[in-house]
Amino acid sequence: MPIDKILVLLSPFLVACFNPDKKFFTSKEFLVIILFTIIAVTSSVANLCFYYIIFFPIIGLSFSIILSQYKNMVLFSLYYALFLHIVIGIVILVLAFMGFTKLNVSEGAKGIASLYSTHGFTSTVQTYGTLCITWLLLYLLRKKLGLNTIIDRLFFFITTLAILLTFNRSTYLFWVILLFFEFPRMFWSIAILMGAILVKFWTNITSFILSSSTIEARFQLLQGFNISYMQSGSLKVYLFGRGTNQISQEVANKVKWSTRLDLENGYTMLLHSYGLIGLCAYLFVCFYFIFLFLKINRFKEAFFLFFYFFVTQYITQEFVATTFYMFLAVMLATYDYYKQPNKFTIG
């Protein structure tokens, strides 16, 4: 039962009921939502099918925009909810190492037997890592507002531990980028420590970092996309996609390396679901969000968005996960703060 998706679906309607007089979208934001709705409907009609999941990003985007306007919900409710989930993820991981391996953990991480990595209540380690990064971004925003205390510093180190326990290279890379820009002392301390550890455990660490099992699996999944989309020979498919984020069972049976139906790479998912028109719309909107930060000279945040929109989604795809839209909501709230810090009121 996708409880998170159900709640995200209900949230805009509940907010509208409790605060009907509030303006939820600007004309530009509403135009973007309409644009993605038209693309999803066109793809469905063109393929004579209906898969609700390709409409979820529209709901998710609406959720992000609306949530970012409620500063208290972002700075307090979401902040503590994310941290609670992070702690639960660590507890589940500890229980897994104690023998309760049927809990929600990934076993044999990076090809290393009996190495567990946590993902809490999320579906993958990657999405759990995104929640940890999102919490860190919230921590930084609260720090600018003077809301953090000694307890929050403790929360920070617990979240750092959670990130390390994901054993996820994409999360590690984003975390290191955050440290470089926001916590330079911690970044250089870790860099020196890692240098010393590399000398001592060179073989083990390089085997983990250069582990090709998950990378090969992602390339193997592209075979299904190649058959279903690239080899379709259909202009309609190229322009509007297949109207679904999964390959058919018939195509999966032709794949040599994997029988999975989902598409893990973000760009292949967009092309397969919405076609070239959908991919172009995604690129346009992403660059628009990045430009918002560049326009107010917030280059660090613009880089964070660029990395998440284009690098992270190349490694995996989170468009159908609620984590993507929670991250976006926090970034939009951050933009509101830097755009007009004097008018950014809470309470």
Side-chain angles (χ1 to χ4, degrees):
M1 177 66 70
I3 297 176
D4 58 335
K5 289 182 173 60
I6 293 173
L7 292 176
V8 166
L9 176 63
L10 292 176
S11 296
F13 295 104
L14 291 175
V15 171
C17 290
F18 285 107
N19 199 353
D21 297 326
K22 185 175 179 62
K23 180 181 178 181
F24 295 124
F25 307 111
T26 65
S27 57
K28 291 181 181 178
E29 292 167 345
F30 187 68
L31 184 62
V32 168
I33 292 171
I34 293 298
L35 172 65
F36 281 118
T37 302
I38 291 173
I39 291 172
V41 169
T42 302
S43 181
S44 298
V45 172
N47 291 280
L48 298 177
C49 64
F50 177 79
Y51 292 90
Y52 75 91
I53 197 64
I54 73 166
F55 290 87
F56 177 72
I58 302 165
I59 303 298
L61 182 59
S62 302
F63 169 82
S64 299
I65 295 171
I66 293 174
L67 179 62
S68 66
Q69 298 177 29
Y70 289 83
K71 306 302 186 293
N72 284 353
M73 291 184 67
V74 174
L75 294 169
F76 297 99
S77 301
L78 183 61
Y79 178 80
Y80 291 114
L82 287 178
F83 181 73
L84 178 61
H85 187 188
I86 290 168
V87 171
I88 290 174
I90 295 175
V91 171
I92 290 175
L93 181 64
V94 172
L95 291 174
F97 279 108
M98 293 173 61
F100 298 92
T101 55
K102 292 185 179 181
L103 294 172
N104 199 28
V105 293
S106 296
E107 186 176 5
K110 307 305 174 190
I112 302 175
S114 300
L115 178 62
Y116 301 99
S117 54
T118 186
H119 46 85
F121 296 129
T122 64
S123 56
T124 64
V125 175
Q126 173 65 48
T127 49
Y128 179 81
T130 297
L131 291 183
C132 293
I133 296 297
T134 302
W135 186 91
L136 286 180
L137 292 170
L138 262 176
Y139 175 87
L140 291 172
L141 180 57
R142 284 169 53 93
K143 184 179 179 181
K144 294 288 184 181
L145 293 165
L147 297 175
N148 291 345
T149 64
I150 296 177
I151 298 298
D152 295 286
R153 293 180 184 177
L154 175 62
F155 292 171
F156 174 84
F157 287 108
I158 292 174
T159 302
T160 299
L161 174 63
I163 289 173
L164 294 173
L165 293 174
T166 62
F167 300 108
N168 182 262
R169 287 169 293 203
S170 176
T171 302
Y172 283 179
L173 184 55
F174 204 158
W175 175 60
V176 168
I177 291 171
L178 270 173
L179 292 183
F180 177 79
F181 283 109
E182 301 291 349
F183 305 96
R185 290 183 180 179
M186 186 174 180
F187 170 82
W188 289 113
S189 298
I190 292 175
I192 294 171
L193 177 62
M194 287 303 299
I197 294 176
L198 272 173
V199 174
K200 180 68 175 179
F201 303 101
W202 173 260
T203 304
N204 303 84
I205 293 176
T206 52
S207 65
F208 166 73
I209 295 176
L210 301 177
S211 172
S212 61
S213 58
T214 54
I215 297 174
E216 289 175 357
R218 286 181 171 85
F219 279 111
Q220 291 163 6
L221 287 173
L222 293 177
Q223 186 181 359
F225 167 76
N226 184 51
I227 297 171
S228 183
Y229 182 84
M230 299 300 294
Q231 297 180 16
S232 66
S234 169
L235 180 61
K236 180 189 71 174
V237 172
Y238 293 149
L239 288 177
F240 307 113
R242 292 266 184 200
T244 175
N245 66 324
Q246 297 189 341
I247 61 175
S248 66
Q249 187 62 57
E250 180 183 359
V251 170
N253 293 335
K254 298 178 183 179
V255 175
K256 179 179 179 180
W257 303 104
S258 175
T259 57
R260 288 177 57 177
L261 302 180
D262 60 310
L263 295 167
E264 197 163 355
N265 178 282
Y267 299 102
T268 61
M269 181 270 179
L270 290 170
L271 284 169
H272 196 272
S273 301
Y274 312 103
L276 282 169
I277 293 176
L279 177 61
C280 290
Y282 171 76
L283 295 176
F284 172 78
V285 172
C286 288
F287 279 117
Y288 171 74
F289 282 129
I290 292 170
F291 175 73
L292 290 178
F293 282 99
L294 292 176
K295 190 167 62 173
I296 58 174
N297 298 321
R298 295 305 306 178
F299 301 105
K300 289 187 295 185
E301 288 74 13
F303 184 77
F304 296 157
L305 275 179
F306 178 86
F307 181 87
Y308 186 67
F309 283 156
F310 298 114
V311 179
T312 298
Q313 304 313 317
Y314 179 80
I315 299 171
T316 184
Q317 67 87 7
E318 296 184 42
F319 306 125
V320 295
T322 54
T323 52
F324 185 94
Y325 305 100
M326 290 183 183
F327 174 89
L328 183 57
V330 171
M331 291 305 295
L332 289 175
T334 303
Y335 167 75
D336 288 341
Y337 167 74
Y338 284 114
K339 182 182 178 183
Q340 294 179 312
N342 295 330
K343 295 182 179 181
F344 192 93
T345 58
I346 58 175

